Amino acid sequence: MSTPPRISLTRFLIEQQRDHNRINSDLRLLIEVVARACKRISIAVGKGALGGVLGSAGTENVQGETQKKLDVLSNEILLEANEWGGHLAALASEEMDDPHSIPHRYPKGEYLLVFDPLDGSSNIDVNISVGTIFSVLRCPDGVRDPDERAFLQPGSRQVAAGYAVYGSSTVLVLTLGDGVHVFTLDREQGSFILTASHVRIPEDTGEFAINMSNLRHWEAPMRRYIEELLAGKTGPRGRDFNMRWVASMVADVHRILTRGGIFIYPRDLKDASKPGKLRLMYEANPMAMIVEQAGGAATTGRKRILDIEPTQLHQRVPVFLGSKNEVERVTAYHREADA
Ligand code: AHG
Ligand code: MN
Ligand code: MN
């Protein structure tokens, strides 16, 4: 038996451009550059205490969260890698109040890149998987100097989305709108190798991911759904469910992509000014595109995430995503309660 050819990310992208006409050379360069930046972040994460990268940076981001050194470093790595290639019109990130314009000395391209440079910050110092999430949009026609408004497009207009997980291995998960593909970093060679193609999330699942400590703040339909799962075999669902919560969205979503499950960060009523914890533009939208491309579903509990018309770069939304039948069930509970 002959071994199948090793397909590097570079080869995959060239074939997507040349054979399938799915991307142009600018989008190909963009994905390559983001992947290279993720490799650098992966190396920094992997050094841990030896690299002096653990702990707090002593600063706050626009959301009032304390930044970790790795939040700041990962943001810088992604900015620096993406500024000069001529493929982007602007960038935006969790760690920057406003979009970052491309310096005048460099050419500008047609794409907008939005990212969560380091997802799962609370896990950095305890050696648990963290990651990077990114979303690619087209700069609206005729916009020369994109500001926040240029980014406020529904997730259904994303041309690409992906995430990296810096775990026991480093993986890069990518969609260009034609299924979801997983690449594993070959650390010796320094290249991402295709290890799974057209991944599908099982429609049914027996596993849920949620931070249960917020239960007392949830809305009624949310409590109903979880109470039914917890009731197990003798409850209304007639079977037992298992729970997992890494507290890094990238790791929880990656598990769901691999073996199914439902991930929930619902709206909670402890702070009325926050309609959820996760951010639409660089957490919910890219993950929703990936999950839908893998046959799953992604809603706010009430509507499809990818249909939301954003009003702010850093806006938050409730997130329900993963195995289709569970997402549809809990979404139906919310709609019933509203009606
Ligand atoms: P970030 O580190 O980018 O701020 O995101 C953290 C997010 C997400 O990764 C995770 O699912 C969630 O916060 C965990 O929240 P809890 O600490 O409330 O469980
Ligand atoms: Mn995050
Ligand atoms: Mn983050």
Side-chain angles (χ1 to χ4, degrees):
M1 234 172 55
S2 62
T3 42
R6 271 164 66 101
I7 311 231
S8 64
L9 177 66
T10 302
R11 174 169 169 182
F12 174 87
L13 292 172
I14 286 176
E15 288 175 357
Q16 289 295 312
Q17 181 185 352
R18 194 180 54 199
D19 305 344
H20 307 289
N21 208 11
R22 186 158 285 288
I23 53 174
N24 61 24
S25 52
D26 275 3
L27 186 51
R28 173 160 68 86
L29 177 64
L30 189 164
I31 306 286
E32 288 255 32
V33 168
V34 169
R36 206 178 306 140
C38 289
K39 242 186 282 180
R40 283 193 59 192
I41 299 170
S42 170
I43 291 167
V45 168
K47 285 199 180 2
L50 298 176
V53 294
L54 304 186
S56 164
T59 46
E60 266 191 10
N61 65 15
V62 65
Q63 348 230 351
E65 298 161 341
T66 305
Q67 292 175 305
K68 295 285 176 75
K69 285 185 194 161
L70 263 179
D71 288 321
V72 176
L73 179 68
S74 306
N75 192 60
E76 281 166 5
I77 289 174
L78 279 154
L79 275 189
E80 199 184 288
N82 276 288
E83 277 192 331
W84 49 267
H87 51 285
L88 287 181
L91 304 90
S93 147
E94 177 187 348
E95 306 304 342
M96 301 187 292
D97 303 9
D98 301 306
H100 176 90
S101 324
I102 299 296
H104 291 302
R105 59 185 183 281
Y106 302 127
K108 267 190 201 162
E110 58 179 309
Y111 294 105
L112 301 172
L113 176 65
V114 203
F115 49 83
D116 176 351
L118 211 281
D119 175 64
S121 305
S122 75
N123 282 325
I124 296 170
D125 295 345
V126 291
N127 202 5
I128 293 174
S129 299
V130 292
T132 297
I133 311 173
F134 65 93
S135 158
V136 183
L137 294 159
R138 235 181 275 279
C139 188
D141 286 343
V143 176
R144 281 294 303 149
D145 289 303
D147 58 11
E148 175 168 354
R149 280 167 303 170
F151 286 85
L152 303 180
Q153 308 179 35
S156 55
R157 288 210 220 130
Q158 292 170 106
V159 294
Y163 65 82
V165 189
Y166 314 118
S168 41
S169 59
T170 287
V171 295
L172 181 80
V173 172
L174 175 69
T175 182
L176 302 168
D178 178 36
V180 178
H181 310 282
V182 180
F183 300 83
T184 303
L185 181 62
D186 180 328
R187 294 186 207 268
E188 281 75 47
Q189 272 194 5
S191 49
F192 281 105
I193 306 294
L194 184 66
T195 43
S197 255
H198 294 285
V199 179
R200 304 297 292 174
I201 298 174
E203 290 184 5
D204 288 299
T205 182
E207 211 161 64
F208 63 101
I210 193 160
N211 183 342
M212 286 289 294
S213 70
N214 295 318
L215 182 137
R216 68 190 183 284
H217 303 295
W218 295 341
E219 297 178 281
M222 190 46 219
R223 286 190 199 212
R224 170 187 167 194
Y225 176 70
I226 293 293
E227 273 156 18
E228 288 182 7
L229 300 188
L230 295 177
K233 242 191 195 104
T234 54
R237 302 294 305 270
R239 59 192 172 104
D240 290 337
F241 287 81
N242 188 25
M243 197 193 91
R244 287 285 184 273
W245 184 250
V246 181
S248 287
M249 188 189 202
V250 283
D252 283 310
V253 169
H254 196 64
R255 182 187 59 255
I256 287 168
L257 195 71
T258 309
R259 67 175 189 216
I262 180 171
F263 171 97
I264 308 178
Y265 215 116
R267 173 201 187 90
D268 71 41
L269 306 172
K270 74 182 158 210
D271 180 351
S273 71
K274 289 185 188 165
K277 175 173 184 186
L278 299 176
R279 279 62 51 107
L280 175 63
M281 300 295 297
Y282 40 83
E283 291 175 322
N285 270 343
M287 290 310 200
M289 181 178 181
I290 290 166
V291 165
E292 283 198 6
Q293 283 290 319
T299 75
T300 65
R302 292 177 162 91
K303 64 182 284 192
R304 183 177 177 236
I305 286 174
L306 295 181
D307 287 338
I308 299 173
E309 293 281 350
T311 54
Q312 285 172 353
L313 183 59
H314 299 286
Q315 88 187 65
R316 297 170 193 262
V317 285
V319 174
F320 295 70
L321 58 77
S323 292
K324 201 174 184 159
N325 292 337
E326 289 305 313
V327 174
E328 282 175 359
R329 176 185 283 264
V330 65
T331 304
Y333 286 9
H334 283 78
R335 290 197 185 127
E336 259 170 52
D338 291 348

